[in-house]
Amino acid sequence: MSRAESGPGRKGRRGGSRRADTGPIRDRADDYGHDEEYDYDPEEDFSAEYGHTAAGDEGAGGNSDTAQDGDDERAGSGRGRGRRRGSRRAAPARDARQGGVKRVSAFSASAIKKVSVLGDRPNQIVYTLAEQSKRKRGTAVLGVLIGAFALSLVALLGLLSYQLFTGAGGTTSGGDTSVVAPPEGHSTITPQLYLSNANRDDVFGPINERPEGLEPMTQEAVFDPVQEVELDGMKLELRDGAVTDSCTSLVWGDDLGQSLIDAGCVNAASGVYTDADEEYVAQVTLFDLSDAEAATEVEAALDPNNVESGAGFLLSRTNDEIPGLQDGYSEATAQVMGHYLAVFWVARTDGSPPGDDTDLAKVTVASMNAFPYVYNEVIAAQAEQE
């Protein structure tokens, strides 16, 4: 159905413009999609808005035929109104011959619709729409920038967190950032006899520094090969063994705990051995530090005879199930082994002194066989250097 046939109202309005529809303006309007989707009022006169002023006054008095046709088809509408309607139809046809249609064609059908609905100031309307579009684009850009900033902040916090918890040099994860407080009521026993052994470069030189990407110690790697240690008939069995990332949780004393943090301790292994009769006990501990110099500094802080360091020593890992190392007499030997520090702490379970008995010395030497893990690392480091 054509627009002229779409209803009595539309037919009446179309009746007064038959002559104009036969001119070039009809083809131009079809090109720009003036169909029923756009509810603009054809009675509105846009000729003055778009520069169609050459024949504006003449159309009102010179197109009486068109006005007459409009009066014939719309009875009772009035001749004056018919004349105005006829002039509006005729004027664009004449303007088309003078190039006015080219100016109309610069606007899309949707723009013409907005002009007819919103008023007779198209330039202001287009400007307003453009400003709204700019604001929308500005809001979108601002949103993108805020999102990018948030992602960058998250990435930065992630990087800082990674650096904070990766230990000394960022090569191995683990270790404490503050001293872990010992449990309330813990034993403060220290050995009556303490021996220290400096690092031996001829033996442990290949591991004086902790290698890049070194795998952390595990309970299986450290203790599974040494479920038993033995020397001259003195056999000790592993009662408990564990590896922890918190080095300071194995000691008491603020100075000693801080020395472990300063030395870049990333983890520690600790085990308890007893003989079959539970007459002797040996607690062995291995700290993984950044290098041999750091291990030497921790050993100095561990020494009960060092007046320059505050009180502190290992926490006893014995309990009701494993007797000993709660009070009485004990002996300890510390050995710097490259970037490791090993401590061997032994005693009679009843806390009595050894007297002329050499068995406690045998327990000490036997317990020193508890860390083949370190020697295996030495062999691996020598192989890489060769």
Side-chain angles (χ1 to χ4, degrees):
M1 178 184 294
S2 68
R3 298 182 63 175
E5 298 172 352
S6 61
R10 291 186 179 272
K11 183 176 180 181
R13 289 195 295 272
R14 292 284 182 177
S17 59
R18 289 178 182 175
R19 294 185 183 180
D21 289 344
T22 60
I25 190 61
R26 181 179 179 86
D27 296 334
R28 294 284 184 167
D30 291 340
D31 292 342
Y32 290 95
H34 291 193
D35 53 19
E36 293 181 359
E37 293 181 4
Y38 301 100
D39 189 22
Y40 74 95
D41 189 353
E43 292 182 7
E44 294 292 333
D45 186 357
F46 298 106
S47 59
E49 294 292 340
Y50 300 109
H52 302 174
T53 58
D57 295 335
E58 295 177 5
N63 199 358
S64 59
D65 294 338
T66 305
Q68 185 63 37
D69 291 341
D71 293 339
D72 293 341
E73 292 187 19
R74 292 177 59 88
S77 62
R79 292 184 179 273
R81 184 174 182 182
R83 283 195 296 273
R84 287 197 304 274
R85 190 171 298 146
S87 65
R88 290 173 181 169
R89 299 297 182 181
R94 288 193 298 275
D95 288 344
R97 293 191 295 270
Q98 298 177 10
V101 175
K102 293 181 179 179
R103 300 188 64 179
V104 177
S105 65
F107 291 84
S108 66
S110 60
I112 294 175
K113 176 187 175 183
K114 289 182 174 64
V115 171
S116 66
V117 173
L118 298 178
D120 59 352
R121 294 176 293 175
N123 292 335
Q124 181 178 352
I125 293 168
V126 172
Y127 174 79
T128 302
L129 293 175
E131 285 297 313
Q132 292 175 353
S133 177
K134 287 181 181 179
R135 285 196 295 270
K136 291 179 180 178
R137 289 196 298 270
T139 302
V141 171
L142 180 60
V144 171
L145 291 177
I146 292 175
F149 175 77
L151 290 176
S152 300
L153 182 60
V154 171
L156 178 60
L157 292 175
L159 177 61
L160 293 176
S161 299
Y162 173 79
Q163 292 178 343
L164 180 64
F165 293 106
T166 51
T171 58
T172 307
S173 62
D176 299 307
T177 57
S178 60
V179 177
V180 176
E184 294 184 3
H186 67 90
S187 173
T188 57
I189 181 177
T190 57
Q192 278 74 20
L193 178 63
Y194 178 84
L195 301 175
S196 64
N197 296 294
N199 185 47
R200 294 183 56 183
D201 285 336
D202 58 333
V203 178
F204 304 111
I207 60 169
N208 276 346
E209 295 184 0
R210 185 168 57 214
E212 290 282 341
L214 179 66
E215 292 293 328
M217 292 186 292
T218 64
Q219 178 178 337
E220 294 77 11
V222 176
F223 292 112
D224 280 2
V226 284
Q227 295 292 319
E228 293 183 354
V229 291
E230 183 178 1
L231 178 69
D232 293 341
M234 178 64 69
K235 181 184 293 186
L236 304 175
E237 297 180 357
L238 181 67
R239 300 287 301 274
D240 183 28
V243 173
T244 178
D245 291 338
S246 177
C247 300
T248 63
S249 66
L250 300 183
V251 302
W252 61 273
D254 289 341
D255 289 352
L256 177 56
Q258 188 60 48
S259 72
L260 288 169
I261 295 174
D262 295 341
C265 186
V266 292
N267 60 2
S270 182
V272 179
Y273 291 84
T274 64
D275 64 322
D277 297 331
E278 292 188 348
E279 186 178 354
Y280 298 96
V281 60
Q283 179 173 311
V284 298
T285 307
L286 185 66
F287 296 103
D288 184 355
L289 309 167
S290 59
D291 53 38
E293 182 179 356
T296 301
E297 292 176 355
V298 173
E299 187 278 319
L302 184 72
D303 187 351
N305 301 317
N306 184 1
V307 295
E308 296 181 358
S309 177
F313 200 69
L314 300 176
L315 286 167
S316 174
R317 299 191 66 240
T318 58
N319 47 42
D320 294 340
E321 296 181 0
I322 305 174
L325 294 178
Q326 295 296 325
D327 52 29
Y329 181 89
S330 63
E331 299 177 358
T333 302
Q335 173 70 62
V336 177
M337 308 170 75
H339 66 91
Y340 292 100
L341 174 63
V343 185
F344 309 97
W345 189 17
V346 300
R348 289 180 180 269
T349 56
D350 59 5
S352 62
D356 296 335
D357 193 337
T358 60
D359 287 346
L360 192 58
K362 291 181 181 180
V363 172
T364 297
V365 176
S367 67
M368 290 182 179
N369 295 323
F371 293 132
Y373 178 88
V374 177
Y375 295 96
N376 291 336
E377 185 176 326
V378 171
I379 295 172
Q382 288 176 335
E384 289 183 0
Q385 292 175 2
E386 294 175 357

